[in-house]
Amino acid sequence: PPISPTGSTTIRQGLNGEVVEDAHVGGHTLCGEEFAPNYFNGWGDRNFDGYEQVNVQNQTNLGDWPCFSKYYITFPLDSIPRGKTILSAQLTLYQFGNSSPQDAFDSLIQVLTVKEDWDEATITWNNAPYAWENVSRGWVGVLPSFPGLPGVTSEWDLSRAVSDAYRSGTPLRLVLYSADSAMHSGKYFYSSDTNDYAQTSRPRLTVNWGE
């Protein structure tokens, strides 16, 4: 809307006491090797509560499904003053690596909304809520080596998704997924559980609002 911005709110785990739950589900970065060779003995029920690093990965070959991984995150919106108009919102993640850099390609990572609540301590591939709507997408490149802290920024425009959640009085619940076809598509990011010394590497939602 044609309104001048009058304020901005940044939401990140630990910043101003905010709690931003996140978790990934699937094979993590090792393709679920702890459940090899049959993978039906626990892969789908594996929980990664407290992990400081998360992975988004997919590929065409369904025989490699133990490598699939997607990422859930929920941002509370209570710190945005009530009665405002959301003008723009941006999700920022910090990438620190990827699968097999010499063989990897850029990934188009999609952000989708989720309607149901979930628990970081219990979410798994088998019980994770379904996606509701595809709201954004962005390219994430290949890192040939570790870039150092805080990592390389990847950003997604979530203006409408935040506006919808804000007006309905609900948290912003998201899942990140890639429809990659190539092997070694995994892109590694820091999570909300990243140690305090690297807290600036945690996922961040920046919201600009007006009267």
Side-chain angles (χ1 to χ4, degrees), residues 3-9 81 84-85 87 207-211:
I3 298 172
S4 297
T6 56
S8 178
T9 300
K84 307 302 180 183
T85 297
L87 301 179
V207 183
N208 297 308
W209 43 267
E211 305 299 329

Side-chain angles (χ1 to χ4, degrees), residues 39-40 63 92 109 168 174 193:
Y39 300 99
F40 291 100
T92 303
I109 293 184
S168 64
L174 306 170
D193 293 301

Side-chain angles (χ1 to χ4, degrees), residues 11-134:
I11 305 169
R12 190 185 73 210
Q13 170 68 27
L15 183 65
N16 300 318
E18 294 283 14
V19 176
V20 179
E21 284 202 331
D22 64 350
H24 70 170
V25 298
H28 189 45
T29 59
L30 299 175
C31 295
E33 69 173 10
E34 64 189 294
F35 301 106
N38 71 17
Y39 300 99
F40 291 100
N41 56 341
W43 183 95
D45 297 316
R46 180 70 159 88
N47 172 261
F48 297 96
D49 183 23
Y51 272 53
E52 296 186 15
Q53 303 169 352
V54 296
N55 180 28
V56 179
Q57 183 166 349
N58 205 342
Q59 64 169 296
T60 297
N61 185 356
L62 294 181
D64 286 334
W65 61 266
C67 295
F68 295 177
S69 186
K70 51 192 175 183
Y71 172 55
Y72 284 79
I73 185 167
T74 296
F75 288 95
L77 302 180
D78 301 335
S79 58
I80 304 174
R82 301 311 303 171
K84 307 302 180 183
T85 297
I86 304 300
L87 301 179
S88 64
Q90 185 179 67
L91 169 66
T92 303
L93 299 184
Y94 290 87
Q95 182 190 8
F96 67 87
N98 36 249
S99 302
S100 190
Q102 67 275 13
D103 301 313
F105 296 88
D106 294 353
S107 295
L108 183 67
I109 293 184
Q110 305 169 47
V111 182
L112 305 97
T113 54
V114 172
K115 284 209 148 187
E116 294 82 18
D117 282 327
W118 49 271
D119 186 341
E120 181 176 350
T122 59
I123 189 172
T124 68
W125 185 278
N126 285 343
N127 68 22
Y130 292 126
W132 177 253
E133 182 182 11
N134 192 320

Side-chain angles (χ1 to χ4, degrees), residues 83-206:
K84 307 302 180 183
T85 297
I86 304 300
L87 301 179
S88 64
Q90 185 179 67
L91 169 66
T92 303
L93 299 184
Y94 290 87
Q95 182 190 8
F96 67 87
N98 36 249
S99 302
S100 190
Q102 67 275 13
D103 301 313
F105 296 88
D106 294 353
S107 295
L108 183 67
I109 293 184
Q110 305 169 47
V111 182
L112 305 97
T113 54
V114 172
K115 284 209 148 187
E116 294 82 18
D117 282 327
W118 49 271
D119 186 341
E120 181 176 350
T122 59
I123 189 172
T124 68
W125 185 278
N126 285 343
N127 68 22
Y130 292 126
W132 177 253
E133 182 182 11
N134 192 320
V135 292
S136 189
R137 64 178 184 255
W139 287 100
V140 177
V142 176
L143 298 180
S145 59
F146 176 61
L149 291 173
V152 175
T153 57
S154 295
E155 298 172 336
W156 292 264
D157 179 2
L158 295 180
S159 303
R160 186 173 67 83
V162 171
S163 180
D164 288 348
Y166 174 77
R167 286 187 288 109
S168 64
T170 64
L172 179 68
R173 306 181 189 94
L174 306 170
V175 57
L176 278 73
Y177 164 85
S178 72
D180 276 307
S181 60
M183 294 179 65
H184 315 297
S185 68
K187 300 297 184 290
Y188 305 157
F189 303 97
Y190 292 109
S191 78
S192 287
D193 293 301
T194 296
N195 197 288
D196 285 347
Y197 76 84
Q199 58 187 281
T200 56
S201 298
R202 294 169 180 167
R204 181 178 77 243
L205 183 69
T206 306

